[in-house]
Amino acid sequence: MSLSKRVAPLLLADQVYATLQEAILNGELPPGSRLTVRELAEQVGTSPMPVREAIRRLEEAGLVHREPHRGAVVRGLTLEELVHVYDIRRLLEVEAARLGSERISAEDCERMQAEYSLMRAAIRDGRVVPYLDHDEALLSILYNAAGNPLLVQMIRSLWQQCRAYKIVGAKGSLDSPEDVSLWRYQQDLIAAARESDSAGAAAVNEASLLDATDRIKARLDAQGER
């Protein structure tokens, strides 16, 4: 087999993975949806091989799991997992904010401000996924300033694992125009970073993640997800 023939299925798997991931995160494939290889291959117009590889990667990312007699299924949301994931996020992200705010440059603070403006625009337009993308970009700038790539990698992995929970929380807040929780903490975090206020940045992140946990819990309770 030529190298080009080996590479082609991998490139297709990347495209299928991105398509399925987006469909899961935006709710087109809700929790409990079965991912049947042949059906998905027909829908995306590929052979089964790239779809199998994409599903395997979705399992690794925590978005899909295997159920007896059903195969690959989009994972549901549980209060237990929510608490566990957000507890770990607090441990890592409070420290990342503390370290990052001590070392961040003025230029990076301006980059955070630019992402904040894009985030507020997404809120005004009611676009949940772009809101989360800009929120994570803003936080990544601060966390990268800490100078620990492994810390940022671990945090990004947790973001991916809990993206479905974040969507639930963001949608709930967007449904309440008076709710400022989607932007208030980021505003305070930028202010703390500009002042190199490590204690303040850590406190903002702690409060933000605790608030997010409570909001998502309330939404899951309302939806009957347990």
Side-chain angles (χ1 to χ4, degrees), residues 192-204:
R194 289 188 188 279
E195 297 296 323
S196 300
D197 180 2
S198 59
V204 169

Side-chain angles (χ1 to χ4, degrees), residues 104-118 134 137-138 140-142 144-145 190 194:
I104 195 167
S105 66
E107 291 78 11
D108 279 343
C109 287
E110 291 306 318
R111 290 174 59 215
M112 289 179 69
Q113 187 66 51
E115 291 293 344
Y116 176 80
S117 297
L118 293 170
H134 291 301
L138 182 158
S140 293
I141 294 167
L142 178 61
N144 279 313
I190 294 171
R194 289 188 188 279

Side-chain angles (χ1 to χ4, degrees), residues 131 169 173 178-186 208 211-212 215:
Y131 159 76
S173 294
E178 70 281 1
D179 189 341
V180 300
S181 60
L182 289 182
W183 56 265
R184 182 188 68 198
Y185 296 108
Q186 294 89 332
S208 173
D211 179 64
R215 285 187 289 109

Side-chain angles (χ1 to χ4, degrees), residues 118-119 122-123 126-136 163:
L118 293 170
M119 188 191 76
I123 293 172
R127 295 177 294 130
V128 174
V129 172
Y131 159 76
L132 293 173
D133 289 342
H134 291 301
D135 175 45
E136 291 176 0
R163 179 51 90 92

Side-chain angles (χ1 to χ4, degrees), residues 7 9 13 15-16 19 40 46 56 73 84-85 90 107 110 113 115 127 133 144 162 172 189 193 198 211 216-217 222:
V7 170
Q15 296 171 8
V16 175
T19 299
L40 289 173
T46 71
R56 183 190 66 77
V73 177
H84 289 165
V85 172
R90 284 210 329 276
E107 291 78 11
E110 291 306 318
Q113 187 66 51
E115 291 293 344
R127 295 177 294 130
D133 289 342
N144 279 313
C162 70
L189 194 59
S198 59
D211 179 64
I216 299 169
K217 276 183 182 177

